[in-house]
Amino acid sequence: MLMLNGNIGTDQKIDVVSKNIGERFNFDQSPVAILQQTTDFEIQKVKPDWFDLGKDSPLTEFKPLKTRRIIDASSDGSLAEVFENGALKINLDASRRNPFRTIQVGRHDEINIQGAPVQVSITAKDLETGDVIDLGTQSINRGQSSLLVDLKDKINAVSGGSLRDRYSVSVTKFTGSGQQRNVIESFQETITMIKPMQFGSNHLGDETSNDFTYRDLGSAFGSARIFQGRGGTDTLHLDGVDSSDVSFFNGSHSIDAQSASELGNQSFYGGTVFDSLGLSNGDELYLQGVERLQFDDIAIDLTPDQDARSDDQWNTQVMDVNGAWRFNTGSEDVVLVSLDAGFDANGTGNPDVHGDLGHVTYQTAVNTMNSQSDHGHQAMSVMAATHDDSEVAGVAPDAGLWGYNVYAGGVELQDAISDAIANRNPDQKLVFQGGVQGESWWTNGGTENEMNGLFNSSGDFSFFSIAAGNGGGTTFQDPNYLTSVSGIAKASTSYDHIASVGALRATGFEFESGHRNATDTELASYSNRGDNLTLVAPTNSDSILNSGGLVRSFGGTSCANPNLAGVAALVWSENGALDGGELREIMIGSAMDLGQSGFDTTHGFGLVNAEGAIRRAHALDQNQELASFWTNQDFLA
């Protein structure tokens, strides 16, 4: 057994105990290689130049490992290299007590000893130009061991024709100010800022399948890339790279085809999290919405082995639901509440529920409207059908599911909403799927003021995905469908936890890596739109008829709103600390822009993107301070 003991700093020690190295282990190799092969030490925390060992044996003159105190906050595989607009983590010596204390005598002669307020100032000096940049001063709590520094728009990585620049970062911990300033500790370390290449069609995809290509361009062009596939089945081709050339992937020292879809340690950047892929040439790649990695020797699928039926569903591909399933498939803490036609009756008069919706809690009587007997069943199957490699793969199969019939033979809409609110557990979130259109729903079960009262009181724990309306069709006609959404969907302008959902259709299909993808999309001609449209989601999705075993395309905004509701359930399952307004804000900020740049009256804020939204929610859940350096409206998505 091999044991390496070295001092770290002044008062910490590291004991590195080896694995079973066997009798034939080769000691005639680099110290880094020895550590990697014989210990569980995180090798990405070690740099070769931190060793200074004798020639005869790499262990004869073992010297201390240097522990960095100023590191990249992203949690990727490189501690001293930081992407431009990234963040730093400063590790403070919490053992150094504040020597500047005051003694106060209280009213009852009690003695109180208080430390003076402690502050930390940070500056960065460009080692090429000599320019010094003030990175701010922060107040810290007693015993605080670290702090974060936002570098957004503060440090430029471009230097002398290169996309990388070196800075000396200085940290001073002190009390007081001016002539009364008392320094507790100060230190400095060098970091390298890198400008990531993320421009052009080779780095940003759309809602269709896209192919990206990575090539080693040399360090002068930067060693960082950001690839954002967004919707569709997207492939990154790594020219001239074998899978064995991977130096780290999401915290692991290599990439394994069998476990690549596991989250690992996601890297923080731009208010969200990315897959981080390090290559042996030193390049770092950040990935979002990329489903496949094509190396020279092997193709690796990053999507989980969830349900083969989803491969043929264009709705899951276009919204990047497969990528979101890497994080979760729903939670019982989030309940999908269907405000639709519910179920019709089977031969015995009971609700006709197909097995893939067997987890439903049905709250009302069966519907008696023959023309819409499958409507509610189809909507629930789109958003919540069980994954069993048959019929349909629901968007959020492991979320709770409650069904209400608000049509013929059922209950009034306001009564259904009130009942769901009354039945929720204190920690449960409710995602309402509203398959309703037309102005009459405002007063279905009460007055319009009473409906607004339900909306007013539920923002902390509920989100409403409401059909924008099919006003341009033949069945439901709305003379204002080109300028406004329909019915209670209009409440999206008054309440931030309500979304009006338009219907996006595919104009063509192709198969990429066995997955059905749209070749182009457009707003369905019948779909309501206008300046009160929030988002669009797929229509014409596979759904299950209530008789079971039969799959039929489900159309209209009636299909779009359960698709979006399913995505909302996934995002909320990832971060239950969000309220309904924050949930909608994340889905808007991560949406794929369609049509005119920015918000437009045809697509609203764009096409909902499940993976982009869930990555933002995950980042906020894991490290809210770091993720919040970017708002929901400006993070990379």
Side-chain angles (χ1 to χ4, degrees):
M1 181 173 288
L2 170 70
M3 181 172 287
L4 306 179
N5 293 316
N7 291 329
I8 297 181
T10 58
D11 57 359
Q12 297 178 359
K13 287 187 176 181
I14 180 171
D15 292 325
V16 184
V17 182
S18 77
K19 304 172 185 175
N20 184 5
I21 60 179
E23 296 181 357
R24 296 186 179 182
F25 181 77
N26 176 21
F27 285 94
D28 188 19
Q29 54 185 322
S30 72
V32 171
I34 291 174
L35 281 178
Q36 187 162 18
Q37 295 180 36
T38 63
T39 75
D40 291 320
F41 191 74
E42 295 182 58
I43 203 67
Q44 65 263 36
K45 292 184 177 179
V46 179
K47 293 291 185 182
D49 60 355
W50 296 351
F51 292 88
D52 183 13
L53 306 180
K55 295 181 180 180
D56 295 334
S57 168
L59 303 177
T60 302
E61 300 179 17
F62 185 80
K63 293 189 177 182
L65 295 178
K66 176 181 177 182
T67 300
R68 290 193 61 90
R69 300 183 65 182
I70 304 173
I71 63 175
D72 179 12
S74 70
S75 300
D76 65 13
S78 58
L79 297 184
E81 295 184 338
V82 186
F83 281 16
E84 188 177 80
N85 288 326
L88 294 176
K89 180 180 180 182
I90 309 295
N91 292 310
L92 304 171
D93 188 351
S95 65
R96 295 201 177 190
R97 299 184 180 274
N98 178 2
F100 308 103
R101 296 178 293 177
T102 59
I103 299 177
Q104 295 180 342
V105 179
R107 294 177 57 187
H108 303 289
D109 296 326
E110 73 274 16
I111 296 176
N112 300 315
I113 301 177
Q114 296 180 336
V118 179
Q119 295 182 299
V120 179
S121 66
I122 307 100
T123 61
K125 180 179 179 180
D126 190 325
L127 294 181
E128 179 173 317
T129 66
D131 294 338
V132 177
I133 301 164
D134 183 7
L135 297 179
T137 298
Q138 300 185 33
S139 297
I140 63 171
N141 300 320
R142 181 180 179 182
Q144 184 173 330
S145 60
S146 66
L147 57 82
L148 296 172
V149 181
D150 185 6
L151 300 180
K152 184 181 177 184
D153 300 326
K154 294 178 180 177
I155 297 184
N156 194 333
V158 179
S159 174
S162 172
L163 297 181
R164 53 196 298 126
D165 198 3
R166 297 175 71 243
Y167 287 83
S168 176
V169 178
S170 298
V171 178
T172 302
K173 183 178 176 182
F174 65 96
T175 62
S177 61
Q179 293 183 345
Q180 301 300 316
R181 177 168 168 164
N182 302 297
V183 175
I184 300 174
E185 69 166 329
S186 62
F187 54 93
Q188 64 181 31
E189 290 177 355
T190 300
I191 62 168
T192 300
M193 295 296 300
I194 305 172
K195 187 175 185 65
M197 298 175 65
Q198 51 177 322
F199 47 81
S201 59
N202 191 44
H203 292 268
L204 184 64
D206 55 22
E207 76 275 22
T208 69
S209 62
N210 298 105
D211 288 291
F212 307 111
T213 301
Y214 160 81
R215 293 186 179 88
D216 183 357
L217 300 177
S219 60
F221 292 95
S223 56
R225 311 280 194 279
I226 294 178
F227 295 95
Q228 296 170 266
R230 304 199 297 179
T233 304
D234 303 308
T235 301
L236 174 61
H237 299 266
L238 296 111
D239 285 1
V241 180
D242 286 341
S243 57
S244 60
D245 294 324
V246 173
S247 59
F248 64 82
F249 182 66
N250 290 343
S252 298
H253 304 320
S254 59
I255 189 168
D256 176 67
Q258 300 304 314
S259 61
S261 66
E262 298 174 4
L263 283 185
N265 296 322
Q266 296 287 301
S267 296
F268 285 78
Y269 183 65
T272 181
V273 291
F274 290 81
D275 292 315
S276 57
L277 177 68
L279 302 178
S280 57
N281 63 6
D283 283 2
E284 298 176 53
L285 316 182
Y286 276 19
L287 314 176
Q288 227 184 72
V290 174
E291 282 73 31
R292 297 178 73 250
L293 301 176
Q294 181 64 62
F295 295 95
D296 280 357
D297 60 328
I298 191 175
I300 294 181
D301 191 349
L302 298 183
T303 59
D305 185 15
Q306 186 64 33
D307 189 333
R309 267 297 292 134
S310 69
D311 296 348
D312 197 42
Q313 296 177 192
W314 86 279
N315 63 316
T316 54
Q317 317 308 325
V318 79
M319 295 190 298
D320 258 357
V321 174
N322 290 332
W325 285 337
R326 294 175 64 188
F327 293 80
N328 71 75
T329 52
S331 163
E332 285 293 335
D333 291 332
V334 180
V335 180
L336 286 159
V337 182
S338 180
L339 305 173
D340 210 301
F343 300 104
D344 69 354
N346 59 20
T348 63
N350 294 313
D352 194 1
V353 182
H354 180 50
D356 278 4
L357 293 177
H359 55 297
V360 68
T361 299
Y362 191 48
Q363 309 284 41
T364 55
V366 296
N367 79 61
T368 57
M369 185 170 56
N370 292 333
S371 62
Q372 297 291 328
S373 61
D374 288 311
H375 196 275
H377 196 288
Q378 288 179 278
M380 283 184 270
S381 70
V382 167
M383 63 185 180
T386 298
H387 287 198
D388 59 3
D389 291 323
S390 67
E391 283 93 33
V392 168
V395 175
D398 293 320
L401 178 63
W402 297 347
Y404 288 87
N405 170 24
V406 296
Y407 284 86
V411 298
E412 305 293 334
L413 178 63
Q414 291 189 30
D415 292 338
I417 297 172
S418 297
D419 185 74
I421 292 173
N423 284 321
R424 63 177 283 270
N425 294 329
D427 295 330
Q428 277 182 322
K429 307 291 188 181
L430 304 180
V431 176
F432 289 96
Q433 171 259 316
V436 293
Q437 58 182 320
E439 302 305 314
S440 63
W441 290 102
W442 274 107
T443 54
N444 190 266
T447 67
E448 185 171 338
N449 284 337
E450 288 172 327
M451 180 68 81
N452 281 315
L454 289 173
F455 292 150
N456 266 319
S457 63
S458 60
D460 288 344
F461 57 82
S462 74
F463 174 81
F464 289 79
S465 176
I466 308 296
N470 308 323
T474 56
T475 302
F476 176 80
Q477 295 182 335
D478 178 358
N480 300 313
Y481 85 99
L482 292 176
T483 57
S484 176
V485 298
S486 172
I488 62 172
K490 295 175 182 177
S492 61
T493 61
S494 302
Y495 303 98
D496 62 5
H497 63 299
I498 299 176
S500 57
V501 189
L504 192 74
R505 64 179 291 268
T507 58
F509 298 99
E510 66 177 358
F511 278 88
E512 172 61 38
S513 305
H515 297 77
R516 182 186 293 273
N517 281 265
T519 55
D520 201 0
T521 60
E522 66 180 13
L523 189 74
S525 59
Y526 53 76
S527 182
N528 282 58
R529 62 207 73 177
D531 58 11
N532 52 11
L533 177 66
T534 311
L535 292 160
V536 296
T539 188
N540 300 339
S541 304
D542 285 354
S543 67
I544 306 173
L545 303 187
N546 56 21
S547 54
L550 297 176
V551 177
R552 187 175 71 188
S553 179
F554 186 37
T557 54
S558 295
C559 177
N561 78 87
N563 266 310
L564 189 137
V567 172
L570 295 178
V571 178
W572 229 342
S573 295
E574 190 64 23
N575 187 343
L578 304 169
D579 63 28
E582 291 167 332
L583 173 63
R584 188 182 80 161
E585 193 177 357
I586 286 175
M587 291 199 291
I588 287 173
S590 57
M592 290 173 283
D593 195 18
L594 301 175
Q596 299 176 7
S597 179
F599 177 88
D600 65 70
T601 57
T602 302
H603 305 97
F605 289 99
L607 169 61
V608 63
N609 183 279
E611 182 177 346
I614 207 168
R615 284 181 176 275
R616 170 62 170 171
H618 179 82
L620 289 167
D621 179 64
Q622 296 296 305
N623 193 327
Q624 184 170 9
E625 181 185 1
L626 180 57
S628 295
F629 286 159
W630 295 68
T631 72
N632 288 327
Q633 298 307 311
D634 64 9
F635 76 98
L636 294 174

